[in-house]
Amino acid sequence: MILSTRWTRLATAAVFASAIAFQALAIGVSWGAAYWPFMSVAASAVCVLALLRDRWPVGTASLAIGIAAVAILVSREAHLPAEPSPAMTLGLALMVASAVRTLPVTVAAAVAGGGLAVAVGGEIAARTTSSGSSVANIGALGWLAAVAIGLALRLGAVRARAASERVRREERLALAREMHDVVAHHIASMLIQTQAAQVVARRRPEDMPRTLTDIETTGTDALAAMRRAVALLRDTGDAAPLSSGPESLDDLVHRFGRSGPAVRLHMPDDGDDWPPEVTGTVYRVVQESLTNVARHAPQAGSVTVSVRRDDDRVTVEVVDDAPPPRPHGRAGFGLLGMRERVEALGGTLDAGPGDVGGWAVRAVLPVPREAE
């Protein structure tokens, strides 16, 4: 991401430099060599501020609009081309589009209004100082394009956030439902054990301590599961989960291998002793990862699924061997749902190119100590 941003900024700077050089040449040819330096310097200042907009969005936008306004006034009084130059229009358009896309509504409206004032002022100044106003018209069209692009990107971001929130909420609610089933199971076990204790008390009083200990253990497990479920419901959350149901990882891998690439599964022997929310999440990560392989990497020859336990955490890795180039867009709502489910349990999830090629998904889940 950092590398991509750096290349984008360099490309933008190159476009700005080309526009400044082009306008300097055009002004020098049409107005004379003495006329191009001032507007080139003003355009350069606006373009530099546009490149720095991410660090100081409001300050750079305000300063760029101020420079453009002063440049128009000075050019008008000095009988220079008074309208904003093409390079300055390009820098202002980028500034306005960025503000409309990312800044709060009132601030974005103020920046857009400032850009409109510069475009209108350039139009008026051009009509009063020169015979033509085609460049000023370009300034107005640049402002309109900037506002339209900024609004479109802002609307897209709003929709993406809404979809993300819906996915998170559904994922957390599904996980909470699974936890509810676990709690209900523990409570039912306690009721059965309590009824059995009454029989034991009459027939084998010496076994009562062990029976009471079993009831206490089941109640502790139920209380711990209830706390985790309540913690999940108190937070807001991500995406449509799929419960593991009665199918085990062995069944899932076997079913996937019948229609897709071969899958090698490495599982520890103590997987049945983990808390239900951990085993369910491990299943969810493997299921979504295999689904992504089927959708986005049909050329994969094999997939390795590794699940291991290290002290108080469980690590699950799904790695395929699909050759590059990788398709873009692997990070859909399924990955978002996986990440939310893992993070809801206090874990982490990473997805990206593998160390030796292919694509890798790695999740680390803590095992609650009260579940030990």
Side-chain angles (χ1 to χ4, degrees):
M1 180 63 71
I2 294 176
L3 185 60
S4 176
T5 302
R6 183 178 303 167
W7 279 109
T8 301
R9 193 162 298 169
L10 288 175
T12 305
V15 172
F16 284 157
S18 300
I20 294 170
F22 173 79
Q23 81 175 28
L25 178 63
I27 294 174
V29 170
S30 58
W31 287 72
Y35 290 91
W36 67 265
F38 175 74
M39 291 305 294
S40 296
V41 171
S44 298
V46 172
C47 291
V48 169
L49 290 171
L51 293 173
L52 299 175
R53 69 190 184 282
D54 292 336
R55 296 185 179 181
W56 308 285
V58 179
T60 51
S62 302
L63 188 56
I65 291 172
I67 290 175
V70 170
I72 291 173
L73 294 176
V74 172
S75 298
R76 185 176 185 276
E77 295 300 323
H79 303 289
L80 294 170
E83 64 272 12
S85 64
M88 182 181 291
T89 297
L90 191 61
L92 288 174
L94 181 59
M95 197 81 72
V96 170
S98 178
V100 172
R101 177 192 176 192
T102 59
L103 295 181
V105 175
T106 54
V107 180
V111 173
L116 178 61
V118 170
V120 173
E123 176 79 20
I124 295 173
R127 290 183 180 277
T128 58
T129 59
S130 63
S131 57
S133 59
S134 59
V135 176
N137 291 334
I138 292 175
L141 292 175
W143 179 85
L144 285 174
V147 172
I149 293 173
L151 287 175
L153 293 175
R154 189 184 190 99
L155 181 60
V158 169
R159 290 176 176 173
R161 284 196 298 269
S164 174
E165 286 302 314
R166 184 183 68 253
V167 168
R168 295 185 59 193
R169 184 169 55 253
E170 291 174 357
E171 187 70 37
R172 284 181 177 269
L173 288 176
L175 184 54
R177 284 194 296 269
E178 294 176 9
M179 300 284 290
H180 168 270
D181 295 339
V182 172
V183 173
H185 170 73
H186 284 311
I187 293 176
S189 298
M190 291 174 61
L191 290 175
I192 294 174
Q193 289 173 335
T194 302
Q195 294 169 352
Q198 298 175 7
V199 177
V200 171
R202 292 194 302 268
R203 298 182 179 179
R204 296 192 304 276
E206 67 278 5
D207 292 339
M208 274 300 297
R210 186 179 62 183
T211 303
L212 294 175
T213 299
D214 292 340
I215 296 175
E216 180 184 11
T217 301
T218 304
T220 301
D221 293 341
L223 183 60
M226 181 69 76
R227 287 186 184 134
R228 293 192 290 271
V230 170
L232 292 174
L233 291 174
R234 282 178 178 170
D235 202 353
T236 56
D238 214 287
L242 295 171
S243 174
S244 61
E247 187 181 48
S248 66
L249 275 183
D250 288 324
D251 297 330
L252 173 65
V253 166
H254 179 70
R255 177 167 54 84
F256 179 82
R258 289 201 303 264
S259 58
V263 182
R264 295 187 295 270
L265 175 63
H266 304 285
M267 273 283 293
D269 296 331
D270 61 344
D272 295 336
D273 297 333
W274 302 340
E277 66 270 23
V278 173
T279 56
T281 301
V282 169
Y283 182 96
R284 170 82 165 95
V285 170
V286 174
Q287 183 183 50
E288 184 61 35
S289 299
L290 293 179
T291 300
N292 285 341
V293 172
R295 289 176 179 173
H296 305 295
Q299 68 275 37
S302 64
V303 182
T304 301
V305 178
S306 302
V307 183
R308 64 179 183 273
R309 170 74 179 272
D310 300 312
D311 296 331
D312 59 349
R313 65 180 185 176
V314 172
T315 301
V316 53
E317 287 184 300
V318 182
V319 182
D320 65 62
D321 61 356
R326 307 297 300 184
H328 299 292
R330 294 289 298 268
F333 288 139
L335 180 60
L336 184 63
M338 278 196 294
R339 176 168 284 110
E340 177 59 27
R341 174 178 282 246
V342 170
E343 292 179 352
L345 298 177
T348 59
L349 184 139
D350 299 301
D355 296 335
V356 292
W359 190 266
V361 176
R362 183 176 186 269
V364 179
L365 297 164
V367 178
R369 293 189 178 278
E370 60 267 26
E372 295 292 341

